[in-house]
Amino acid sequence: AIWIHDGRGERSLSSEGDIVSDISPPSFGAHDRVLYYLLQRGADRAGPELWRTTVNTGKSEAVFPGVSMVAFDISPDDKQVVFSGAMRGGPTQLWLAPLDRSSPARRIGGSSETRPHFGPNGQILFQAIEGNFNYLEQMNPDGSRRSKVIPYPIVAIQGISPERRWV
């Protein structure tokens, strides 16, 4: 569950299912007015969906109903989301979508990519699997200029600093 404590007291923001926070913990948007989180509703669902709650009103909604996500990150300007998702047990893939739903999500990576984050200069940072190893890689939002950030394997990306300078 997610609870908010403010001048009005304490209240739950997530009574519609289970919060999935093992890879992507809940995160506030740029001005702390909206909280984004992955919500699993019922055992028969394909996977967790991205939800948002407006903190001052408590209004909650699915951002992309029916789209299952493994991990996500909201852009610093609150206009886009980058996420990883898997289609029915297949490898994870990276997607980029506008939060206002003005256009559909578009696939920006190959396969076996997860844990995406927006980087300090607009690039997408993510974890890529090559054989038995994970690597920290980056690419432009259109999927171009893909490269390893560091040449050696990593265990897993745990998070990114608020200023997006440290992974």
Side-chain angles (χ1 to χ4, degrees), residues 106-142:
R106 61 184 169 85
R107 193 170 128 197
I108 60 169
S111 63
S112 299
E113 303 157 342
T114 191
R115 300 177 186 252
H117 293 280
F118 286 95
N121 300 311
Q123 77 272 39
I124 307 295
L125 301 169
F126 58 95
Q127 179 176 312
I129 301 169
E130 292 182 20
N132 293 328
F133 298 101
N134 296 320
Y135 290 91
L136 174 60
E137 296 192 12
Q138 64 182 347
M139 70 175 120
N140 288 338
D142 64 2

Side-chain angles (χ1 to χ4, degrees), residues 55-100:
V55 177
N56 62 349
T57 66
K59 180 183 179 232
S60 297
E61 67 175 343
V63 180
F64 303 107
V67 175
S68 176
M69 297 184 188
V70 176
F72 75 95
D73 191 32
I74 304 299
S75 64
D77 63 4
D78 274 350
K79 293 186 177 180
Q80 299 182 89
V81 61
V82 61
F83 65 93
S84 60
M87 303 303 278
R88 306 218 185 261
T92 56
Q93 301 169 337
L94 297 184
W95 298 80
L96 186 67
L99 286 168
D100 66 2

Side-chain angles (χ1 to χ4, degrees), residues 1-2 14 17-27 36-42 47-51 68-72:
I2 297 175
S14 57
D18 294 322
I19 302 301
V20 178
S21 62
D22 51 342
I23 295 177
S24 284
S27 61
Y36 295 92
Y37 52 94
L38 294 177
L39 184 71
Q40 178 76 46
R41 293 176 30 193
E49 296 174 335
L50 180 63
W51 278 65
S68 176
M69 297 184 188
V70 176
F72 75 95

